[in-house]
Amino acid sequence: MAQAQTPPRTFKLVVLGDSLSAGYNLPANAAFPAVLEQALRQKGIAIEIANAGVSGDTVQGGLDRLDWSVPDGTDGVILELGANDALRGFDPAATEKALEEIITRLRARKIPVLLAGMYAPRNLGSDYATRYDGMFKALADKYGLVFYPFFLDGIAGDRKLNQPDLLHPTAEGVRVIVERILPTVERFLETLRTQP
C-alpha cells in the first residue's frame, strides 16, 4: 500500500496594519493581503492571509485591537504600522514602545513577526526622521525579526503608482509593493516551516 501523502501545510498569516495594507479606496481583491496571497499561491504555497488593516490606525490602535485582530492559530504576522504616527508627528519613543509591546505580546503567543518599516516625512526634520526611521531596524535586531526596511519601497512619491493624495498606493502600486516584498515574505515563511 502506498503511503498517503500528507497535504502541504496551509500557512495562516495576518497583516496587522493601517490604510496602506487595508486597501484604502481599492476593492478588497486589490488590497495588499489579497494580492500577496495570490502571488504566493501562484508559487505553489498553500496560504491564507487575513487583512487586519484599519485605515487611520496608529501603532497604539493596533496594540489596542491586537488580541481580536490576530486569532489563535495564526502562524505569523506581517506588522505594517507606524505611518500615521509619523503623519501626526507622534514622539517616536512612544511609537517604538507600542510596536515593541505588539512584538512581545505576539512572541508570548509564539507568533513570529515580519516587521515592515516606514520612513518619516522629511518635512518633520532630520532629527525626527533619524529617530523614527531607525526604530524599526532597532526592534528587528533586538528581537531577531525578519525585516523589510520600507513598506513603500518602489512607489513612494510616484504619481503613477499612488492615488491623488500621494500617500496611498493604486492597485498597480500594491502590485509593485508585493513584487518587492515577496522575497522577504518567502524567507519569513521558510522560518515558519521550522516552527513546531
Side-chain angles (χ1 to χ4, degrees):
M1 286 286 286
Q3 287 279 316
Q5 286 286 315
T6 307
R9 173 178 173 187
T10 298
F11 291 106
K12 294 186 187 310
L13 298 189
V14 171
V15 180
L16 183 68
D18 49 37
S19 56
L20 298 176
S21 53
Y24 177 78
N25 272 349
L26 298 174
N29 66 356
F32 170 75
V35 177
L36 178 62
E37 179 182 279
Q38 189 62 34
L40 289 164
R41 286 185 173 181
Q42 284 171 356
K43 288 176 165 277
I45 297 168
I47 192 158
E48 295 169 9
I49 304 181
N51 187 342
V54 172
S55 292
D57 223 355
T58 61
V59 177
Q60 184 63 50
L63 175 59
D64 290 344
R65 63 186 175 87
L66 180 63
D67 292 338
W68 58 265
S69 292
V70 181
D72 288 342
T74 298
D75 292 307
V77 167
I78 298 175
L79 180 55
E80 178 278 304
L81 281 168
N84 289 310
D85 297 56
L87 288 175
R88 297 174 196 180
F90 288 2
D91 180 352
T95 297
E96 183 171 7
K97 185 168 181 285
L99 274 172
E100 186 163 22
E101 179 73 11
I102 290 173
I103 293 163
T104 54
R105 280 177 49 184
L106 288 170
R107 280 168 66 92
R109 294 173 60 192
K110 306 271 192 292
I111 300 175
V113 173
L114 186 165
L115 181 60
M118 187 54 58
Y119 294 152
R122 285 343 195 203
N123 63 351
L124 293 172
S126 61
D127 177 59
Y128 186 94
T130 300
R131 291 169 61 219
Y132 179 90
D133 298 356
M135 70 182 169
F136 294 95
K137 184 171 190 318
L139 286 169
D141 289 347
K142 180 175 180 179
Y143 291 100
L145 307 179
V146 175
F147 179 52
Y148 187 69
F150 183 38
F151 186 72
L152 298 178
D153 182 47
I155 75 156
D158 189 326
R159 292 185 179 278
K160 297 191 296 294
L161 297 175
N162 284 279
Q163 297 178 40
D165 61 12
L166 276 183
L167 294 173
H168 296 96
T170 60
E172 179 59 31
V174 171
R175 285 194 288 273
V176 172
I177 292 171
V178 167
E179 191 179 297
R180 297 280 181 114
I181 201 173
L182 199 56
T184 304
V185 175
E186 289 182 272
R187 186 156 51 87
F188 183 53
L189 293 176
E190 280 303 316
T191 69
L192 300 187
R193 286 182 208 283
T194 64
Q195 300 282 321

